[in-house]
Amino acid sequence: MKYCIIYLIYFSISFCIGIQGLQIPENSHILSTSGTGIASGNTPGLNPALSNNNTFIQFSINNWLGDINGSHTSIKWGKNILQYLSIQTWGVDNIQLRGEQPSTEPLGKFSVNFLSIAYSISHNLNTPYNFGARLKANYSHLFIESMQGLIIDLGVRYELNSYLASGIVLKNLGFEYVNEDKVELPQEIGLGFQLNITPISIFLLTDIAHIKNRGLEKRLGIKTNYKLINIHTGITMNEGRNSQALGLSFKIKKWLITYSLYKHENTTLGFPTFLDIRRYI
């Protein structure tokens, strides 16, 4: 019976971190617009088709819903062939293990952790388009159970003119296993647009995506584009989830610091906060 309880806990937590970990924002930049930005060309977490050739190292400290804590470390390099390597972790500690009979003291405590390593590459292939691909390996383990998978994301970005860009992304292709049992991935296909309002230094972002088993999701975001301080905000609308996010970024010489707050409709799970620290090279 003890292992049955462990098994149930594993599925309730690991599926939240493991499978749904594919849906958790990786860093503060993504969180700040509530996941909007398929056409932005800034991060492979939104679309592996990148457009800017800034080289940097970044570290993120993330606190997600339900006391799930994590980090995200990444490096981006390249001028013509843009490449991005990242390592992401999520974990829940001090989970109480209870036996068959109710008791005031737990039988023990344990933790569950999720690890993901991703590599992205982007190039225009001598066309007006930017093409991108991302390969991600995931692993999670608890007691006698383990979860592992290999995921591929594909994306395209196209600048229609100096003011308007579009993007298409196909995410979560591949496989994921719990022990030897294959589980269904939340595959996603999305279309996005970015409007650059140059006179007032603002980007307007809009996405529409279909996520397997979750249906249609609409996203809207706004980002300012000033020299020192910028505001990011976004909203996500889905039949089963509505959320808002707000972020503030500070650029000081070669440093960029971004702090974001996420508001979910279920406030009992808390308010996630993400912090990015980036150093341009």
Side-chain angles (χ1 to χ4, degrees):
M1 186 63 179
K2 182 190 297 185
Y3 287 104
C4 290
I5 295 172
I6 293 172
Y7 192 73
L8 290 172
I9 294 172
Y10 175 82
F11 272 87
S12 63
I13 297 173
S14 284
F15 264 72
C16 177
I17 300 178
I19 300 302
Q20 298 306 319
L22 303 174
Q23 303 270 298
I24 300 176
E26 296 176 0
N27 52 50
S28 183
H29 180 85
I30 297 175
L31 183 75
S32 66
T33 57
S34 193
T36 314
I38 291 175
S40 64
N42 289 326
T43 174
L46 297 173
N47 187 343
L50 304 176
S51 62
N52 66 71
N53 57 6
N54 293 326
T55 298
F56 61 79
I57 296 175
Q58 179 171 291
F59 181 73
S60 304
I61 302 171
N62 307 325
N63 298 301
W64 188 239
L65 298 167
D67 296 325
I68 299 176
N69 299 313
S71 66
H72 184 263
T73 304
S74 58
I75 180 170
K76 179 176 173 288
W77 73 97
K79 292 185 177 180
N80 297 318
I81 302 176
L82 307 181
Q83 300 177 75
Y84 192 102
L85 180 66
S86 65
I87 300 175
Q88 182 181 27
T89 64
W90 290 104
V92 181
D93 296 321
N94 297 321
I95 303 169
Q96 293 186 355
L97 176 63
R98 298 287 178 173
E100 186 176 29
Q101 300 296 327
S103 62
T104 56
E105 295 295 328
L107 298 177
K109 294 183 178 180
F110 63 96
S111 62
V112 57
N113 296 283
F114 171 78
L115 172 67
S116 176
I117 301 175
Y119 170 76
S120 305
I121 187 168
S122 180
H123 194 266
N124 60 21
L125 301 180
N126 299 318
T127 71
Y129 299 86
N130 295 109
F131 300 92
R134 187 188 202 201
L135 180 65
K136 182 163 59 174
N138 305 318
Y139 179 77
S140 183
H141 181 76
L142 173 65
F143 289 103
I144 58 173
E145 303 290 342
S146 64
M147 179 181 291
Q148 57 275 325
L150 202 60
I151 311 297
I152 297 175
D153 296 341
L154 301 173
V156 181
R157 184 180 184 273
Y158 176 65
E159 291 191 5
L160 289 82
N161 50 50
S162 59
Y163 300 100
L164 184 63
S166 62
I168 298 174
V169 69
L170 189 58
K171 300 177 71 174
N172 297 329
L173 304 174
F175 59 87
E176 194 93 13
Y177 285 91
V178 176
N179 287 348
E180 297 181 357
D181 298 324
K182 190 174 183 180
V183 295
E184 194 172 45
L185 291 170
Q187 294 177 351
E188 175 181 341
I189 181 169
L191 171 68
F193 293 92
Q194 174 178 272
L195 178 63
N196 182 6
I197 308 176
T198 306
I200 56 175
S201 299
I202 284 180
F203 290 108
L204 292 180
L205 308 166
T206 180
D207 295 346
I208 185 167
H210 184 272
I211 304 172
K212 195 169 186 178
N213 295 329
R214 281 177 53 182
L216 201 63
E217 187 166 280
K218 293 164 283 187
R219 310 170 191 140
L220 181 66
I222 301 174
K223 298 192 301 183
T224 61
N225 187 32
Y226 303 122
K227 287 185 178 180
L228 298 177
I229 301 176
N230 286 287
I231 297 173
H232 307 175
T233 187
I235 182 171
T236 297
M237 295 164 285
N238 182 282
E239 184 178 345
R241 176 175 70 104
N242 293 302
S243 59
Q244 302 87 39
L246 178 66
L248 194 63
S249 66
F250 305 87
K251 189 173 184 181
I252 306 171
K253 295 183 179 180
K254 292 188 175 183
W255 293 91
L256 178 68
I257 299 173
T258 305
Y259 179 80
S260 299
L261 176 68
Y262 181 84
K263 182 183 178 182
H264 191 268
E265 56 189 7
N266 188 350
T267 57
T268 59
L269 295 175
F271 294 95
T273 57
F274 284 26
L275 175 66
D276 292 352
I277 301 174
R278 178 183 296 185
R279 177 66 160 85
Y280 290 100
I281 302 173

